[in-house]
Amino acid sequence: QVQLVESGGGLVQPGGSLRLSCATSGIALDVNSIAWFRQAPGQGREGVSCSNYDGKEFYINSVKGRFTVSRDNAKNMVYLQMNHLTPEDTAVYYCASDLWSCTTVDGSPQESSIDHWGKGTLVTVSS
């Protein structure tokens, strides 16, 4: 059974940092890409970043230079380090698996290629 479990969300002040974790089980990370999506209140879900199975990284423009995705295949973990957070980053963040390569458009992973989803973790950026 495949499971993806996000953690690390919370309340942070503007300019602060958070590291999200995605614990995976039931999939082999060496042949799976892990994407990060977010859904802000009242908005649709947006693909933010993707860690390709071979380590290549993808980001949307609005988070480039602020967010960093990384993985530890031995621990079945993928991380999203988020720095210089702004209120516009407030959202529920989801990790999701995509067999083999990330499917992206302008750095944004696409929902249509996702095989499995986590349940999300809430990130709130507010003073």
Side-chain angles (χ1 to χ4, degrees), residues 27-100:
I27 60 172
L29 278 186
D30 58 349
V31 297
N32 275 273
S33 297
I34 300 296
W36 288 94
F37 293 80
R38 66 185 179 186
Q39 187 165 20
Q43 298 187 26
R45 194 150 51 186
E46 174 187 43
V48 174
S49 177
C50 194
S51 170
N52 207 53
Y53 76 97
D54 61 359
K56 189 174 181 180
E57 301 166 21
F58 298 90
Y59 303 95
I60 57 173
N61 283 340
S62 61
V63 306
K64 274 183 184 175
R66 300 191 299 123
F67 289 13
T68 303
V69 67
S70 62
R71 57 168 56 208
D72 185 336
N73 287 3
K75 295 183 178 180
N76 298 314
M77 297 291 294
V78 178
Y79 307 98
L80 186 67
Q81 178 68 43
M82 307 186 297
N83 298 328
H84 305 294
L85 287 161
T86 73
E88 288 69 36
D89 296 314
T90 294
V92 176
Y93 283 72
Y94 302 88
C95 64
S97 67
D98 185 354
L99 185 63
W100 291 113

